[in-house]
Amino acid sequence: MYRTAGAAPPAPPSPSPVTADDLDRAVRLAAAALREVPADGWDDRAGTLEWSRWETVEHLGDDLFAYAAQLGSGGSPPDGNVPFAWESRRPGGPANAVHADRAAGPEGLLRVLEACGALLAAVVRTTSPDVRAHHVFGASDPEGFAAMGIVETLVHTHDVTLGPGLPWHPPADLCARVLARLFPDVPAATDPWPALLWATGRGDLPGRPRRTAWRWYGAPRAEDHDHEPDRSAAPAAAQRRS
């Protein structure tokens, strides 16, 4: 390819969109990794969280369910969550609408996770890209909710597998797509998985302070990629409810 001297180099290609297939892949890989957690380790603390491994996976399934509900409502109400009754089963535990039956054991818990992931993927596939649904960090579209679900899946699986030292290295291409979609403030020329851990306050990047608070930017691409994201909101741990 030739260009005249002094001409600007061609623009880099736009990152490929995040899809429901990406979400399916993330949940499938996470469930396989989580099946390696020792049977007697589910009540131990998950990484640096204040929740147990069981509670963390239960919370992850609840996240995926809640994102599906937000999209499935067709963006109504536009300024709030679908009013399920979220409750915590102990002081300091996650407030969920979805709880797995403890009698079904870890395999039952992972079936709940897989079902919630499949629900969100189905809603992403069948919802018009023009739909905007509420999230505490700003309204987003089906692609944005798919990306949020993937981030929740990847980083919470990291939390759960960290203690027992289980291998968890999600695919670089998957991490790169959700970084490009939700974290425009993360340097692009970095290894995507360590960059995602840094972006969510779980790791270090050379030359950058470790994050103690963080957020993502879910505004649809057409509405946000032509200008800097609005960083006026205070950073917070990435949760769908404030």
Side-chain angles (χ1 to χ4, degrees), residues 71 131-135 138-145 148 181 218-220:
L71 280 175
V131 168
R132 303 290 180 264
H134 171 78
H135 187 276
S140 195
D141 60 354
E143 186 202 7
F145 276 96
M148 294 177 208
R181 180 61 180 80

Side-chain angles (χ1 to χ4, degrees), residues 53-213:
R53 294 188 184 116
W54 181 285
E55 289 174 328
T56 301
V57 174
E58 203 170 51
H59 161 81
L60 170 56
D62 189 68
D63 273 337
L64 301 177
F65 166 81
Y67 293 163
Q70 290 302 109
L71 280 175
S73 70
S76 178
D79 57 352
N81 293 309
V82 178
F84 292 101
W86 282 288
E87 62 179 11
S88 175
R89 293 191 166 177
R90 69 167 181 86
N96 297 340
V98 171
H99 296 272
D101 183 357
R102 288 299 300 241
E107 184 58 30
L109 173 66
L110 296 179
R111 287 180 62 194
V112 169
L113 171 62
E114 290 169 326
C116 291
L119 179 62
L120 176 56
V123 174
V124 168
R125 286 189 178 98
T126 56
T127 300
S128 167
D130 296 328
V131 168
R132 303 290 180 264
H134 171 78
H135 187 276
V136 66
F137 291 159
S140 195
D141 60 354
E143 186 202 7
F145 276 96
M148 294 177 208
I150 292 168
V151 171
E152 297 276 11
T153 299
L154 300 186
V155 302
H156 282 315
T157 300
H158 166 78
D159 296 331
V160 172
T161 58
L162 189 60
L166 297 172
W168 175 238
H169 301 287
D173 65 308
L174 197 58
C175 299
R177 278 197 288 282
V178 296
L179 280 169
R181 180 61 180 80
L182 297 178
F183 296 97
D185 52 342
V186 172
T190 52
D191 189 342
W193 177 228
L196 184 58
L197 291 176
W198 175 79
T200 57
R202 290 168 167 84
D204 299 306
L205 276 185
R208 289 176 176 261
R210 189 173 183 128
R211 287 185 164 178
T212 58

